[in-house]
Amino acid sequence: AIVNLFATPKYREWDPTPIISYSFAFFFGLMVGDVIYALGIMLLGKYLLSKFVDDPQSEGFRLFQRLIYTCAGVALVVGLLSGTYLGNIYEFFGIESLALVEGVKQTLQDPILFIVLALGIGFVHVNIGHLLALIKGVKERQKGLVINKIGLFLLQFGIPSILHSLLHVDVPLFTEQMYSILIYVMGVDVIVVIAGNIIQSGGLGMIAGIFDLTGILGDIMSYARLAGVGLATLYLASAFNMLAELFSNMIPGVAGAIIGTIIGIGILIFGHTLNLVLSVVTGFIHSLRLCFVEFLFKFYEGGGREYSPFKLKKRISAPISI
């Protein structure tokens, strides 16, 4: 369902559905990552989604419905591990944490750690795309593409030097001499990348090579959206919880407590419903973006047609009365 939104595989072209299925669901679950929201998404997929289609029994709809269940299942697991239930709703009851793995909670609620995790995921995902492009180039004997991808892989060995010189981050076991050597290695790799593009595309390949060099950094940085959306979902949920608690205790007296409680419950229902819708929409869109722009564009062509076999349709005619 996800791959066909981009393009149908050509005949004899590798179908990227397996890796897209896992990565899309993982990205979505990481950005939503709430137990109650995940259960809400499952219920929406079960009872509400069918209201917007003409044929709920069609194969395409049922496939898309299973996709929703899978993504919500990953969000449910992430929520259980991090102990996220409508944000921090459990604090109303004096519970400090419901996380099954405290380390997961700390990582997903700390902006710096979450961004580092997201960039690490991006580094792996982007390089898988370049690796598949390299394999494709070898099979199709595209020398320029092969040289270009080898240069991009080698170029990334210079990342410790960039971290050291720009961010003053020291990599364990690295010496000043090693950082200096990697700078020269990066220079050679830049030439290799540009040379590969020139072989593949001619004179315009030099310009394309420059975009390749800057693009790999931009592609990896794009995965920071995982942390951005994930933290936004958590912070919005926590903000609505805080507003509900604030209004429920604002009016003194017994009558005020009742009115405040009603207002607080209304804020919780409205706020978390809004946050659920926003998290579903943004999670779906940004997962598509990462799978399409940062991944499939590197090696996937598409342009095929879906298999549609011949079949006979039996026409049932009304009996003729004499």
Side-chain angles (χ1 to χ4, degrees), residues 61-281:
F61 174 78
R62 294 172 70 87
L63 181 64
F64 188 78
Q65 197 174 41
R66 290 198 297 270
L67 170 68
I68 296 297
Y69 293 155
T70 304
C71 293
V74 177
L76 178 66
V77 172
V78 174
L80 288 171
L81 293 175
S82 61
T84 308
Y85 297 78
L86 295 180
N88 58 346
I89 194 73
Y90 49 82
E91 293 184 0
F92 284 174
F93 309 100
I95 302 173
E96 293 185 2
S97 176
L98 290 175
L100 296 180
V101 181
E102 199 65 31
V104 175
K105 176 184 177 181
Q106 293 176 0
T107 300
L108 299 186
Q109 294 186 7
D110 184 284
I112 301 300
L113 292 178
F114 203 164
I115 290 173
V116 171
L117 173 64
L119 295 181
I121 293 170
F123 179 81
V124 174
H125 200 236
V126 167
N127 277 285
I128 291 175
H130 284 300
L131 178 61
L132 293 173
L134 174 62
I135 294 173
K136 176 184 176 183
V138 172
K139 287 184 175 180
E140 298 179 358
R141 298 182 179 180
Q142 300 182 33
K143 296 181 180 179
L145 180 61
V146 172
I147 294 173
N148 172 266
K149 296 305 176 184
I150 292 175
L152 284 176
F153 284 128
L154 296 176
L155 183 67
Q156 296 174 66
F157 285 102
I159 291 178
S161 294
I162 297 176
L163 295 176
H164 177 72
S165 58
L166 297 181
L167 302 178
H168 305 289
V169 175
D170 291 325
V171 179
L173 304 180
F174 269 66
T175 63
E176 289 294 334
Q177 186 177 8
M178 295 173 68
Y179 289 125
S180 301
I181 294 174
L182 287 179
I183 292 294
Y184 291 106
V185 172
M186 288 181 62
V188 175
D189 295 336
V190 169
I191 297 174
V192 172
V193 171
I194 295 177
N197 274 292
I198 292 175
I199 294 173
Q200 186 178 6
S201 307
L204 294 176
M206 181 173 294
I207 300 176
I210 295 174
F211 283 110
D212 278 345
L213 295 172
T214 57
I216 190 169
L217 178 61
D219 289 344
I220 294 174
M221 293 297 295
S222 182
Y223 286 78
R225 70 185 67 238
L226 295 173
V229 176
L231 290 170
T233 301
L234 174 66
Y235 291 159
L236 273 176
S238 301
F240 287 123
N241 293 340
M242 182 178 64
L243 285 174
E245 184 180 14
L246 180 65
F247 276 94
S248 63
N249 298 324
M250 182 175 292
I251 306 175
V254 177
I258 296 174
I259 296 174
T261 300
I262 295 173
I263 295 175
I265 293 174
I267 291 174
L268 287 177
I269 295 174
F270 171 77
H272 286 295
T273 301
L274 176 64
N275 197 25
L276 172 61
V277 173
L278 290 175
S279 62
V280 170
V281 173

